[in-house]
Amino acid sequence: EQFDAIIIGAGWAGIKAATTLLDAGVSNILVLEANDYIGGRSKSVNSDGTINDPNIGDFSNVPVEMGSEWLYIEGNEMEDYLKDNGFLNGIDVSDGKATFVPVKDSPFYMQTLGDNNTLTTARMDIGEVNDLHKRVWGGFLSFRKELLKGGRDLSYLSAARKYQREVLKSAKDIQYVNLVLAAAEVDYAAKIDKLSLSEHRVFDGYLGKAFQPLE
């Protein structure tokens, strides 16, 4: 079988290439994608295992963003597309607070595996979230400073694992630290085990401010 065009990948670039060709009257095209979903790095994984499916049902089916979460340039074609299709209705994109959701303003959910491997998802109480921030994350920031005073320049991952082993007791506290580490990797597009503990801007700066108590 022959095609007028073959597009490798069904990410945003591939999808755009396909729509451009279709708009130009070229319909005999083939899009090849190695994954079993379209979207490329734009990947939302729902609790039920579906990917990039907006029909999540009730709030127990929590979506987790795995990448491609930012549009760094204002006035781009993607922003125009989202506006034209109503995805930005009610959002003032000129307001920095509306263009991203700080972790401190985000709802936290906890999943519990019960009898018969039944997974239950429930939103955490704000007071509990504030306690995790102040006690667990604040404790790590103090732990980090003591390591640096002692001349220990570990990676953030090594320091966090040391903190989890030597200080934290509960699984919930340990998982909260894992959440912070995951958020840092997404935001900085870098592996935590490659970031030096002495790079204080990473945690004391951005994340230190982002993980503030909720109001």
Side-chain angles (χ1 to χ4, degrees):
E1 190 172 358
Q2 293 185 337
F3 299 92
D4 293 326
I6 297 178
I7 300 170
I8 309 299
W12 282 110
I15 294 172
K16 180 60 178 179
T19 57
T20 300
L21 288 170
L22 291 173
D23 291 342
V26 181
S27 59
N28 185 27
I29 62 176
L30 174 67
V31 180
L32 300 176
E33 172 57 54
N35 294 306
D36 58 357
Y37 68 94
I38 64 172
R41 290 190 61 242
S42 293
K43 184 178 181 181
S44 299
V45 180
N46 300 322
S47 297
D48 63 3
T50 57
I51 299 175
N52 291 347
D53 184 359
N55 301 313
I56 63 173
D58 59 36
F59 289 110
S60 65
N61 192 17
V62 180
V64 177
E65 300 302 324
M66 304 300 290
S68 188
E69 298 167 340
W70 298 88
L71 289 174
Y72 287 98
I73 303 175
E74 295 183 0
N76 55 55
E77 291 187 12
M78 179 61 70
E79 182 177 318
D80 293 338
Y81 175 85
L82 295 174
K83 286 181 178 178
D84 293 342
N85 288 274
F87 292 106
L88 300 181
N89 289 346
I91 299 177
D92 180 6
V93 296
S94 65
D95 181 0
K97 294 181 179 180
T99 57
F100 67 96
V101 180
V103 175
K104 72 182 186 66
D105 295 329
S106 302
F108 283 70
Y109 294 84
M110 176 167 291
Q111 293 185 321
T112 304
L113 189 63
D115 297 336
N116 300 321
N117 291 325
T118 302
L119 190 64
T120 302
T121 303
R123 184 167 178 170
M124 295 177 63
D125 178 74
I126 291 179
E128 185 178 13
V129 174
N130 286 339
D131 173 70
L132 284 172
H133 163 74
K134 182 177 180 180
R135 179 174 51 81
V136 179
W137 189 241
F140 173 76
L141 294 179
S142 299
F143 186 80
R144 168 190 169 274
K145 291 179 181 179
E146 291 301 316
L147 288 176
L148 291 176
K149 286 181 181 179
R152 301 289 302 278
D153 189 9
L154 306 173
S155 70
Y156 277 106
L157 180 62
S158 296
R161 295 294 181 253
K162 183 177 177 66
Y163 174 64
Q164 289 171 319
R165 289 193 307 269
E166 299 180 4
V167 179
L168 301 182
K169 303 300 181 182
S170 74
K172 183 184 295 184
D173 292 351
I174 292 172
Q175 187 60 23
Y176 185 78
V177 173
N178 290 336
L179 168 67
V180 180
L181 297 179
E185 286 200 340
V186 170
D187 192 67
Y188 286 91
K191 294 294 184 181
I192 294 299
D193 61 352
K194 303 299 182 183
L195 296 178
S196 169
L197 197 64
S198 62
E199 297 287 339
H200 66 279
R201 291 178 58 190
V202 175
F203 279 70
D204 278 346
Y206 171 74
L207 284 178
K209 294 177 180 177
F211 281 74
Q212 295 174 5
L214 299 169
E215 297 178 355

